[in-house]
Amino acid sequence: MSDLYRFIHAEKANYPVTLLCRVLHVARSSYYAWREGKAARRRRQAADDALAHEITVLHLASRCTCGVPRIHAELRRLGRRVNRKRIARVMRERDIRGVNRRKYRSLTRPGKKAKLAPDLIGSDFHAERPGIKLVGDITYLPTAEGRLYLACRLDLATREVVGYAMADHHRAELVVDALDMAHGSGATCSPAA
């Protein structure tokens, strides 16, 4: 629509505005509203440019980590009352982005026919003597070369790691290696526990 208004504005020296609006099927009041809004659009663009400068300064001060919510909070703390959606629009137009945290990805997904192991500990994490209750876990450590998976076995009586294994995968053999190390260190678990 603004192309039509620009055309009318350019040709109004040659033809009357009424005729141009009638031929182009545009309301004359709409043309005049567009013409009067030109200054307002310029002022709004200047205000957006000033806001973009403030956002850029705050973004660089945060080492390019802050996104819209933090920038909005910081501007409010500094006394600037700006709508959060306007900040989002200005940042989007100027391609200013914060750092997104990676979403959590579960590594253990039981299959459709997988059977859950019975809970032998029963949420009782106390053991009278070493070697009675062993628990374990698998976690990953992000490294420059990729993920490194760590499986460990913990004795609940002494709270010390009695076996561990590391690999670049999280298959069953990783857990078996941790169990083998725990067995080699003398930590055994009775079948009743």
Side-chain angles (χ1 to χ4, degrees), residues 46-149:
D48 282 351
D49 291 341
L51 178 63
H53 178 70
E54 289 181 64
I55 289 172
T56 304
V57 168
L58 292 173
H59 189 67
L60 291 174
S62 72
R63 291 182 285 165
C64 300
T65 59
C66 287
V68 173
R70 284 186 177 174
I71 295 287
H72 180 245
E74 188 64 25
L75 285 172
R76 287 193 61 135
R77 191 183 69 75
L78 294 172
R80 282 290 310 265
R81 294 194 56 146
V82 184
N83 190 326
R84 188 177 95 35
K85 291 179 182 179
R86 182 177 177 202
I87 294 170
R89 178 182 53 80
V90 169
M91 288 178 71
R92 185 175 52 252
E93 287 172 354
R94 285 152 176 88
D95 199 29
I96 301 171
R97 297 182 191 158
V99 175
N100 290 336
R101 290 187 178 148
R102 292 188 195 132
K103 295 196 185 316
Y104 174 75
R105 193 184 104 205
S106 174
L107 298 176
T108 54
R109 294 184 187 99
K112 292 179 182 177
K113 296 181 180 179
K115 295 181 182 177
L116 295 177
D119 184 8
L120 300 176
I121 300 284
S123 297
D124 178 23
F125 298 105
H126 178 72
E128 296 297 324
R129 61 183 205 277
I132 299 297
K133 290 184 182 177
L134 298 176
V135 295
D137 193 15
I138 300 175
T139 188
Y140 75 91
L141 308 165
T143 65
E145 296 177 6
R147 289 185 172 176
L148 179 67
Y149 295 93

Side-chain angles (χ1 to χ4, degrees), residues 5 8-9 12 17 21 26-35:
Y5 298 144
I8 293 170
H9 193 67
K12 73 178 182 176
V17 172
C21 289
V26 174
R28 217 171 14 147
S29 60
S30 298
Y31 163 72
Y32 287 118
W34 172 83
R35 191 180 72 181

